[in-house]
Amino acid sequence: MDPFLVLLHSVSAALSSSELTELKFLCHSRVGKRKLELVQSGLDLFSLLLEQNDLAPEHTELLRELLGSLRRHDLLRRLDDFEAGAAGGAAPGEEDLRAAFDIICDNVGKDWRRLARQLKVSDAKIDGIEERYPRNLTERVRASLRIWKNTERECATVAHLVGVLRACRMNLVADLVEEDQQARSLQNRSGTVSPMSWESDASALEAP
């Protein structure tokens, strides 16, 4: 089964009717009015875009821009997984990094260039990001973070990101990331129960 089609199917299933309406509006300049009127689902829309070569496994920019416009970070993460070939599961620390990305994307706006430069994204790539996402600040930030992550590889950590944010004097965003990481850490600890504890609880319930 084609992984890209599987991705599009999962994205379509996760869209609400109002989100589909938004996507149809955003595709007005690409798809004819009559064809759009016949679109009843995300799959219908994606099929049209595939036919027109606006979507392809190696050409996902439009899909990323559409999902970014909906602010569907969960679906963008699925796209990230597809592009990274990580459908088999995230590496250790990957979920924490994704959560940090979401917070940064939601809270860094017009200062995204300053952040990108601090992440050591080249000016040429910054210009390319701006050209690719002319009206979407959130996706400019996310694209910068993806470039940083792909460059740093195993050195791409949440702690590193927090340091970069503070170097940019984006202390509020850095605080939000750290608070979220602390909450996630506490949640992981509270959600971990040892087999001995389960056995003790079961014994207590069985006792007369």
Side-chain angles (χ1 to χ4, degrees), residues 73-156:
H73 297 308
D74 56 328
L75 299 182
L76 284 166
R77 286 197 293 269
R78 294 185 197 180
L79 179 55
D80 287 341
D81 283 347
F82 168 78
E83 291 181 342
E94 187 77 14
E95 286 298 324
D96 288 342
L97 203 56
R98 287 174 179 174
F101 277 21
D102 289 349
I103 292 170
I104 294 169
C105 288
D106 282 339
N107 291 279
V108 174
K110 295 180 180 179
D111 290 332
W112 73 275
R113 279 178 168 269
R114 177 152 52 102
L115 175 63
R117 290 195 176 99
Q118 194 67 37
L119 291 170
K120 298 181 180 178
V121 178
S122 69
D123 285 342
K125 288 184 177 179
I126 289 174
D127 291 341
I129 291 170
E130 192 164 27
E131 184 176 344
R132 183 178 300 173
Y133 305 109
R135 298 178 300 277
N136 195 323
L137 287 175
T138 299
E139 276 310 296
R140 291 180 190 178
V141 178
R142 189 175 292 277
S144 302
L145 291 169
R146 286 202 314 274
I147 291 172
W148 166 79
K149 181 176 179 291
N150 292 336
T151 300
E152 295 294 326
R153 297 182 181 276
E154 65 274 4
C155 294

Side-chain angles (χ1 to χ4, degrees), residues 5-191:
L5 296 182
V6 172
L7 169 68
L8 294 180
H9 184 275
S10 71
V11 169
S12 174
L15 294 173
S16 66
S17 58
S18 62
E19 287 172 332
L20 177 60
T21 300
E22 288 183 55
L23 292 185
K24 289 167 66 175
F25 175 77
L26 292 170
C27 289
H28 240 280
S29 61
R30 294 176 179 272
V31 181
K33 182 179 179 181
R34 289 184 180 179
K35 288 184 177 180
L36 280 177
E37 288 175 349
L38 298 175
V39 169
Q40 300 295 322
S41 68
L43 286 180
D44 291 342
L45 180 60
F46 296 150
S47 294
L48 290 174
L49 295 173
L50 285 167
E51 288 175 9
Q52 297 176 181
N53 295 319
D54 286 323
L55 279 183
E58 66 283 353
H59 183 44
T60 60
E61 293 86 358
L62 176 60
L63 180 60
R64 183 173 294 282
E65 187 170 355
L66 291 173
L67 296 179
S69 297
L70 298 178
R71 302 181 75 82
R72 287 297 301 269
H73 297 308
D74 56 328
L75 299 182
L76 284 166
R77 286 197 293 269
R78 294 185 197 180
L79 179 55
D80 287 341
D81 283 347
F82 168 78
E83 291 181 342
E94 187 77 14
E95 286 298 324
D96 288 342
L97 203 56
R98 287 174 179 174
F101 277 21
D102 289 349
I103 292 170
I104 294 169
C105 288
D106 282 339
N107 291 279
V108 174
K110 295 180 180 179
D111 290 332
W112 73 275
R113 279 178 168 269
R114 177 152 52 102
L115 175 63
R117 290 195 176 99
Q118 194 67 37
L119 291 170
K120 298 181 180 178
V121 178
S122 69
D123 285 342
K125 288 184 177 179
I126 289 174
D127 291 341
I129 291 170
E130 192 164 27
E131 184 176 344
R132 183 178 300 173
Y133 305 109
R135 298 178 300 277
N136 195 323
L137 287 175
T138 299
E139 276 310 296
R140 291 180 190 178
V141 178
R142 189 175 292 277
S144 302
L145 291 169
R146 286 202 314 274
I147 291 172
W148 166 79
K149 181 176 179 291
N150 292 336
T151 300
E152 295 294 326
R153 297 182 181 276
E154 65 274 4
C155 294
T157 63
V158 174
H160 187 171
L161 266 183
V162 169
V164 169
L165 289 168
R166 297 205 184 281
C168 291
R169 296 184 180 179
M170 298 180 181
N171 291 313
L172 177 58
V173 185
D175 290 344
L176 290 173
V177 171
E178 287 187 327
E179 288 170 9
D180 178 74
Q181 291 299 307
Q182 290 170 5
R184 290 169 65 83
S185 178
L186 288 172
Q187 185 178 14
N188 290 337
R189 289 177 191 171
S190 63

